Amino acid sequence: MTTSTAPLPIQACSPAEAAREVAREIAALIRERRAAGRMAVLCLPTGRTPLGVYDELVRMQRDEALDFANVTTFNLDEFLGLPPEHPQSFRRYMRERFFARIGLEPTHTWIPSGDVAPAQIAAHCAEYEREIADAGGLDYALLGIGRNGHIGFNEPGSARDSRTREVRLHEVTRADAARAFGGLEFVPERAITMGVATILGARRVRVLAFGADKRDILRRTLEDTPGPQVPATFLRGHPDVRLLADGAALGR
Ligand code: F6R
């Protein structure tokens, strides 16, 4: 796939509608895969944006007998320097907000390790790519978008062909995380992220954006010439991508 100036398909909807729509798609994928005797492979984000989707999937398990036994998940990213139990680690977020609530087997959930030894980071990232490939690739990538246009932690400057790797976090990303960490000085400076090419390898990509603080970056994502200055622009041209955004984010 080459960089494309194709428009990004947009679905204007409320956060609640987006959560229901995405959860419905994920549930259909899981059931279709189970009928075929296969795993459904999901790529998942943390942050505020996907919480409604996780709540809705938990509800579907309870009310509609949605079974997650054939699901494997790969998270987008993790802060470096945080042990798994750190309150701000993405591993802990995922366990508390989603995995423990649906009883997902820890062996089916992959998250880059935040406490991998510096000398092992490159090998750990290569292993993450191998695990995704061995799982048969990502079926469905759910993404949020940072105010600086990052997807995962692919910060401005990230290449279209980037793979899972160590990155230095952008100042906007660290500033946005500062409150949760109790101060900018406590926010890690580095992270591991799936690459842009890794994400674009997903067979289906859904991007969620809600609220007025995403308006400027959404406009640039939709209108700028695709390039590393706004990594989310690389999503344009993916064969099965859709942005689900509310009126505040779309400026409507
Ligand atoms: C999180 C991630 C990030 C977030 C983005 C939006 O795992 O990969 O790209 O999706 O920073 O964060 P929220 O949803 O908190 O606005």
PDB file of all heavy atoms in Angstrom, residues 156-182:
ATOM      1  N   PRO A 156       4.518  12.444  15.912  1.00  0.00           N
ATOM      2  CA  PRO A 156       4.899  13.174  14.704  1.00  0.00           C
ATOM      3  C   PRO A 156       6.347  12.843  14.331  1.00  0.00           C
ATOM      4  O   PRO A 156       7.226  12.806  15.200  1.00  0.00           O
ATOM      5  CB  PRO A 156       4.734  14.640  15.132  1.00  0.00           C
ATOM      6  CG  PRO A 156       3.651  14.602  16.171  1.00  0.00           C
ATOM      7  CD  PRO A 156       3.873  13.310  16.921  1.00  0.00           C
ATOM      8  N   GLY A 157       6.565  12.572  13.049  1.00  0.00           N
ATOM      9  CA  GLY A 157       7.891  12.160  12.582  1.00  0.00           C
ATOM     10  C   GLY A 157       7.965  10.663  12.307  1.00  0.00           C
ATOM     11  O   GLY A 157       8.933  10.186  11.724  1.00  0.00           O
ATOM     12  N   SER A 158       6.929   9.920  12.714  1.00  0.00           N
ATOM     13  CA  SER A 158       6.948   8.461  12.513  1.00  0.00           C
ATOM     14  C   SER A 158       6.761   8.126  11.035  1.00  0.00           C
ATOM     15  O   SER A 158       5.922   8.726  10.346  1.00  0.00           O
ATOM     16  CB  SER A 158       5.829   7.794  13.319  1.00  0.00           C
ATOM     17  OG  SER A 158       6.045   7.956  14.705  1.00  0.00           O
ATOM     18  N   ALA A 159       7.502   7.139  10.577  1.00  0.00           N
ATOM     19  CA  ALA A 159       7.463   6.775   9.161  1.00  0.00           C
ATOM     20  C   ALA A 159       6.305   5.826   8.854  1.00  0.00           C
ATOM     21  O   ALA A 159       5.871   5.058   9.716  1.00  0.00           O
ATOM     22  CB  ALA A 159       8.779   6.107   8.764  1.00  0.00           C
ATOM     23  N   ARG A 160       5.837   5.908   7.632  1.00  0.00           N
ATOM     24  CA  ARG A 160       4.759   5.039   7.141  1.00  0.00           C
ATOM     25  C   ARG A 160       5.124   3.563   7.258  1.00  0.00           C
ATOM     26  O   ARG A 160       4.264   2.722   7.461  1.00  0.00           O
ATOM     27  CB  ARG A 160       4.486   5.440   5.682  1.00  0.00           C
ATOM     28  CG  ARG A 160       3.718   4.468   4.814  1.00  0.00           C
ATOM     29  CD  ARG A 160       2.253   4.465   5.163  1.00  0.00           C
ATOM     30  NE  ARG A 160       1.514   3.496   4.363  1.00  0.00           N
ATOM     31  CZ  ARG A 160       1.619   2.170   4.507  1.00  0.00           C
ATOM     32  NH1 ARG A 160       2.422   1.649   5.391  1.00  0.00           N
ATOM     33  NH2 ARG A 160       0.879   1.367   3.752  1.00  0.00           N
ATOM     34  N   ASP A 161       6.425   3.262   7.132  1.00  0.00           N
ATOM     35  CA  ASP A 161       6.838   1.848   7.148  1.00  0.00           C
ATOM     36  C   ASP A 161       7.387   1.420   8.519  1.00  0.00           C
ATOM     37  O   ASP A 161       8.040   0.385   8.626  1.00  0.00           O
ATOM     38  CB  ASP A 161       7.857   1.571   6.045  1.00  0.00           C
ATOM     39  CG  ASP A 161       9.128   2.387   6.218  1.00  0.00           C
ATOM     40  OD1 ASP A 161       9.200   3.211   7.167  1.00  0.00           O
ATOM     41  OD2 ASP A 161      10.062   2.197   5.405  1.00  0.00           O
ATOM     42  N   SER A 162       7.099   2.212   9.554  1.00  0.00           N
ATOM     43  CA  SER A 162       7.650   1.864  10.877  1.00  0.00           C
ATOM     44  C   SER A 162       6.968   0.622  11.451  1.00  0.00           C
ATOM     45  O   SER A 162       5.808   0.346  11.171  1.00  0.00           O
ATOM     46  CB  SER A 162       7.485   3.053  11.839  1.00  0.00           C
ATOM     47  OG  SER A 162       6.137   3.454  11.931  1.00  0.00           O
ATOM     48  N   ARG A 163       7.736  -0.090  12.259  1.00  0.00           N
ATOM     49  CA  ARG A 163       7.274  -1.309  12.925  1.00  0.00           C
ATOM     50  C   ARG A 163       7.365  -1.118  14.437  1.00  0.00           C
ATOM     51  O   ARG A 163       7.795  -0.073  14.910  1.00  0.00           O
ATOM     52  CB  ARG A 163       8.144  -2.495  12.481  1.00  0.00           C
ATOM     53  CG  ARG A 163       7.943  -2.880  11.030  1.00  0.00           C
ATOM     54  CD  ARG A 163       6.743  -3.793  10.909  1.00  0.00           C
ATOM     55  NE  ARG A 163       6.287  -3.951   9.540  1.00  0.00           N
ATOM     56  CZ  ARG A 163       5.121  -4.504   9.228  1.00  0.00           C
ATOM     57  NH1 ARG A 163       4.322  -4.959  10.168  1.00  0.00           N
ATOM     58  NH2 ARG A 163       4.750  -4.605   7.967  1.00  0.00           N
ATOM     59  N   THR A 164       7.002  -2.134  15.184  1.00  0.00           N
ATOM     60  CA  THR A 164       7.057  -2.057  16.649  1.00  0.00           C
ATOM     61  C   THR A 164       8.461  -1.687  17.100  1.00  0.00           C
ATOM     62  O   THR A 164       9.446  -2.306  16.664  1.00  0.00           O
ATOM     63  CB  THR A 164       6.630  -3.407  17.259  1.00  0.00           C
ATOM     64  OG1 THR A 164       5.311  -3.708  16.803  1.00  0.00           O
ATOM     65  CG2 THR A 164       6.638  -3.335  18.779  1.00  0.00           C
ATOM     66  N   ARG A 165       8.539  -0.665  17.964  1.00  0.00           N
ATOM     67  CA  ARG A 165       9.862  -0.128  18.326  1.00  0.00           C
ATOM     68  C   ARG A 165       9.773   0.759  19.568  1.00  0.00           C
ATOM     69  O   ARG A 165       8.688   1.151  19.981  1.00  0.00           O
ATOM     70  CB  ARG A 165      10.417   0.690  17.155  1.00  0.00           C
ATOM     71  CG  ARG A 165       9.642   1.973  16.939  1.00  0.00           C
ATOM     72  CD  ARG A 165       9.856   2.535  15.551  1.00  0.00           C
ATOM     73  NE  ARG A 165       9.184   3.828  15.414  1.00  0.00           N
ATOM     74  CZ  ARG A 165       7.868   3.991  15.306  1.00  0.00           C
ATOM     75  NH1 ARG A 165       7.026   2.968  15.370  1.00  0.00           N
ATOM     76  NH2 ARG A 165       7.355   5.206  15.170  1.00  0.00           N
ATOM     77  N   GLU A 166      10.943   1.114  20.062  1.00  0.00           N
ATOM     78  CA  GLU A 166      11.036   2.088  21.152  1.00  0.00           C
ATOM     79  C   GLU A 166      10.929   3.493  20.570  1.00  0.00           C
ATOM     80  O   GLU A 166      11.516   3.772  19.515  1.00  0.00           O
ATOM     81  CB  GLU A 166      12.381   1.922  21.867  1.00  0.00           C
ATOM     82  CG  GLU A 166      12.574   2.918  22.981  1.00  0.00           C
ATOM     83  CD  GLU A 166      13.915   2.759  23.684  1.00  0.00           C
ATOM     84  OE1 GLU A 166      14.683   1.835  23.314  1.00  0.00           O
ATOM     85  OE2 GLU A 166      14.192   3.553  24.598  1.00  0.00           O
ATOM     86  N   VAL A 167      10.189   4.357  21.243  1.00  0.00           N
ATOM     87  CA  VAL A 167      10.059   5.747  20.785  1.00  0.00           C
ATOM     88  C   VAL A 167      10.257   6.708  21.954  1.00  0.00           C
ATOM     89  O   VAL A 167      10.046   6.352  23.109  1.00  0.00           O
ATOM     90  CB  VAL A 167       8.663   6.019  20.156  1.00  0.00           C
ATOM     91  CG1 VAL A 167       8.486   5.284  18.854  1.00  0.00           C
ATOM     92  CG2 VAL A 167       7.535   5.672  21.129  1.00  0.00           C
ATOM     93  N   ARG A 168      10.620   7.934  21.600  1.00  0.00           N
ATOM     94  CA  ARG A 168      10.641   9.029  22.581  1.00  0.00           C
ATOM     95  C   ARG A 168       9.282   9.713  22.507  1.00  0.00           C
ATOM     96  O   ARG A 168       8.822  10.055  21.409  1.00  0.00           O
ATOM     97  CB  ARG A 168      11.767   9.999  22.222  1.00  0.00           C
ATOM     98  CG  ARG A 168      11.769  11.274  23.071  1.00  0.00           C
ATOM     99  CD  ARG A 168      12.969  12.152  22.749  1.00  0.00           C
ATOM    100  NE  ARG A 168      14.204  11.535  23.216  1.00  0.00           N
ATOM    101  CZ  ARG A 168      14.605  11.524  24.487  1.00  0.00           C
ATOM    102  NH1 ARG A 168      13.857  12.107  25.419  1.00  0.00           N
ATOM    103  NH2 ARG A 168      15.736  10.947  24.827  1.00  0.00           N
ATOM    104  N   LEU A 169       8.639   9.929  23.632  1.00  0.00           N
ATOM    105  CA  LEU A 169       7.303  10.525  23.621  1.00  0.00           C
ATOM    106  C   LEU A 169       7.369  12.025  23.337  1.00  0.00           C
ATOM    107  O   LEU A 169       8.248  12.731  23.821  1.00  0.00           O
ATOM    108  CB  LEU A 169       6.596  10.256  24.955  1.00  0.00           C
ATOM    109  CG  LEU A 169       6.250   8.774  25.181  1.00  0.00           C
ATOM    110  CD1 LEU A 169       5.745   8.552  26.605  1.00  0.00           C
ATOM    111  CD2 LEU A 169       5.230   8.288  24.170  1.00  0.00           C
ATOM    112  N   HIS A 170       6.393  12.487  22.564  1.00  0.00           N
ATOM    113  CA  HIS A 170       6.261  13.885  22.166  1.00  0.00           C
ATOM    114  C   HIS A 170       5.798  14.714  23.367  1.00  0.00           C
ATOM    115  O   HIS A 170       5.111  14.200  24.256  1.00  0.00           O
ATOM    116  CB  HIS A 170       5.223  13.931  21.035  1.00  0.00           C
ATOM    117  CG  HIS A 170       5.074  15.234  20.343  1.00  0.00           C
ATOM    118  ND1 HIS A 170       4.087  16.132  20.674  1.00  0.00           N
ATOM    119  CD2 HIS A 170       5.769  15.787  19.325  1.00  0.00           C
ATOM    120  CE1 HIS A 170       4.173  17.184  19.874  1.00  0.00           C
ATOM    121  NE2 HIS A 170       5.193  17.009  19.056  1.00  0.00           N
ATOM    122  N   GLU A 171       6.144  15.987  23.366  1.00  0.00           N
ATOM    123  CA  GLU A 171       5.811  16.844  24.522  1.00  0.00           C
ATOM    124  C   GLU A 171       4.297  16.930  24.770  1.00  0.00           C
ATOM    125  O   GLU A 171       3.840  16.987  25.913  1.00  0.00           O
ATOM    126  CB  GLU A 171       6.406  18.243  24.341  1.00  0.00           C
ATOM    127  CG  GLU A 171       5.915  18.935  23.090  1.00  0.00           C
ATOM    128  CD  GLU A 171       6.799  20.100  22.647  1.00  0.00           C
ATOM    129  OE1 GLU A 171       8.019  19.999  22.802  1.00  0.00           O
ATOM    130  OE2 GLU A 171       6.230  21.088  22.142  1.00  0.00           O
ATOM    131  N   VAL A 172       3.503  16.935  23.682  1.00  0.00           N
ATOM    132  CA  VAL A 172       2.040  17.002  23.845  1.00  0.00           C
ATOM    133  C   VAL A 172       1.520  15.722  24.504  1.00  0.00           C
ATOM    134  O   VAL A 172       0.654  15.759  25.386  1.00  0.00           O
ATOM    135  CB  VAL A 172       1.355  17.228  22.467  1.00  0.00           C
ATOM    136  CG1 VAL A 172      -0.154  17.036  22.564  1.00  0.00           C
ATOM    137  CG2 VAL A 172       1.689  18.615  21.930  1.00  0.00           C
ATOM    138  N   THR A 173       2.074  14.584  24.089  1.00  0.00           N
ATOM    139  CA  THR A 173       1.666  13.304  24.683  1.00  0.00           C
ATOM    140  C   THR A 173       1.980  13.287  26.173  1.00  0.00           C
ATOM    141  O   THR A 173       1.159  12.885  27.001  1.00  0.00           O
ATOM    142  CB  THR A 173       2.421  12.154  23.981  1.00  0.00           C
ATOM    143  OG1 THR A 173       2.105  12.194  22.583  1.00  0.00           O
ATOM    144  CG2 THR A 173       2.043  10.800  24.560  1.00  0.00           C
ATOM    145  N   ARG A 174       3.181  13.750  26.529  1.00  0.00           N
ATOM    146  CA  ARG A 174       3.575  13.733  27.946  1.00  0.00           C
ATOM    147  C   ARG A 174       2.738  14.737  28.732  1.00  0.00           C
ATOM    148  O   ARG A 174       2.308  14.455  29.852  1.00  0.00           O
ATOM    149  CB  ARG A 174       5.069  14.021  28.088  1.00  0.00           C
ATOM    150  CG  ARG A 174       5.926  12.883  27.509  1.00  0.00           C
ATOM    151  CD  ARG A 174       7.396  13.041  27.851  1.00  0.00           C
ATOM    152  NE  ARG A 174       7.651  12.894  29.264  1.00  0.00           N
ATOM    153  CZ  ARG A 174       8.189  13.836  30.051  1.00  0.00           C
ATOM    154  NH1 ARG A 174       8.519  15.021  29.530  1.00  0.00           N
ATOM    155  NH2 ARG A 174       8.389  13.617  31.330  1.00  0.00           N
ATOM    156  N   ALA A 175       2.473  15.906  28.143  1.00  0.00           N
ATOM    157  CA  ALA A 175       1.664  16.910  28.851  1.00  0.00           C
ATOM    158  C   ALA A 175       0.251  16.374  29.081  1.00  0.00           C
ATOM    159  O   ALA A 175      -0.330  16.564  30.160  1.00  0.00           O
ATOM    160  CB  ALA A 175       1.623  18.205  28.040  1.00  0.00           C
ATOM    161  N   ASP A 176      -0.305  15.669  28.087  1.00  0.00           N
ATOM    162  CA  ASP A 176      -1.661  15.128  28.241  1.00  0.00           C
ATOM    163  C   ASP A 176      -1.717  14.033  29.304  1.00  0.00           C
ATOM    164  O   ASP A 176      -2.773  13.787  29.887  1.00  0.00           O
ATOM    165  CB  ASP A 176      -2.176  14.593  26.896  1.00  0.00           C
ATOM    166  CG  ASP A 176      -2.649  15.712  25.978  1.00  0.00           C
ATOM    167  OD1 ASP A 176      -2.733  16.871  26.452  1.00  0.00           O
ATOM    168  OD2 ASP A 176      -2.933  15.447  24.792  1.00  0.00           O
ATOM    169  N   ALA A 177      -0.579  13.375  29.545  1.00  0.00           N
ATOM    170  CA  ALA A 177      -0.547  12.294  30.544  1.00  0.00           C
ATOM    171  C   ALA A 177      -0.202  12.823  31.934  1.00  0.00           C
ATOM    172  O   ALA A 177      -0.318  12.091  32.923  1.00  0.00           O
ATOM    173  CB  ALA A 177       0.468  11.225  30.121  1.00  0.00           C
ATOM    174  N   ALA A 178       0.217  14.083  32.019  1.00  0.00           N
ATOM    175  CA  ALA A 178       0.792  14.592  33.274  1.00  0.00           C
ATOM    176  C   ALA A 178      -0.186  14.527  34.443  1.00  0.00           C
ATOM    177  O   ALA A 178       0.181  14.151  35.552  1.00  0.00           O
ATOM    178  CB  ALA A 178       1.280  16.024  33.078  1.00  0.00           C
ATOM    179  N   ARG A 179      -1.442  14.865  34.188  1.00  0.00           N
ATOM    180  CA  ARG A 179      -2.401  14.884  35.291  1.00  0.00           C
ATOM    181  C   ARG A 179      -2.555  13.475  35.901  1.00  0.00           C
ATOM    182  O   ARG A 179      -2.519  13.313  37.119  1.00  0.00           O
ATOM    183  CB  ARG A 179      -3.756  15.392  34.809  1.00  0.00           C
ATOM    184  CG  ARG A 179      -4.749  15.517  35.968  1.00  0.00           C
ATOM    185  CD  ARG A 179      -6.162  15.554  35.452  1.00  0.00           C
ATOM    186  NE  ARG A 179      -6.403  16.795  34.737  1.00  0.00           N
ATOM    187  CZ  ARG A 179      -7.348  17.670  35.074  1.00  0.00           C
ATOM    188  NH1 ARG A 179      -8.115  17.426  36.095  1.00  0.00           N
ATOM    189  NH2 ARG A 179      -7.536  18.754  34.370  1.00  0.00           N
ATOM    190  N   ALA A 180      -2.690  12.472  35.034  1.00  0.00           N
ATOM    191  CA  ALA A 180      -2.866  11.100  35.539  1.00  0.00           C
ATOM    192  C   ALA A 180      -1.650  10.648  36.346  1.00  0.00           C
ATOM    193  O   ALA A 180      -1.773   9.890  37.308  1.00  0.00           O
ATOM    194  CB  ALA A 180      -3.124  10.143  34.375  1.00  0.00           C
ATOM    195  N   PHE A 181      -0.476  11.115  35.942  1.00  0.00           N
ATOM    196  CA  PHE A 181       0.750  10.707  36.636  1.00  0.00           C
ATOM    197  C   PHE A 181       1.041  11.563  37.866  1.00  0.00           C
ATOM    198  O   PHE A 181       2.000  11.310  38.581  1.00  0.00           O
ATOM    199  CB  PHE A 181       1.946  10.776  35.678  1.00  0.00           C
ATOM    200  CG  PHE A 181       2.128   9.544  34.833  1.00  0.00           C
ATOM    201  CD1 PHE A 181       1.469   9.420  33.621  1.00  0.00           C
ATOM    202  CD2 PHE A 181       2.961   8.505  35.248  1.00  0.00           C
ATOM    203  CE1 PHE A 181       1.635   8.283  32.833  1.00  0.00           C
ATOM    204  CE2 PHE A 181       3.135   7.368  34.465  1.00  0.00           C
ATOM    205  CZ  PHE A 181       2.467   7.249  33.263  1.00  0.00           C
ATOM    206  N   GLY A 182       0.258  12.641  38.055  1.00  0.00           N
ATOM    207  CA  GLY A 182       0.499  13.517  39.195  1.00  0.00           C
ATOM    208  C   GLY A 182       1.648  14.484  38.960  1.00  0.00           C
ATOM    209  O   GLY A 182       2.273  14.958  39.920  1.00  0.00           O
TER     210      GLY A 182
END
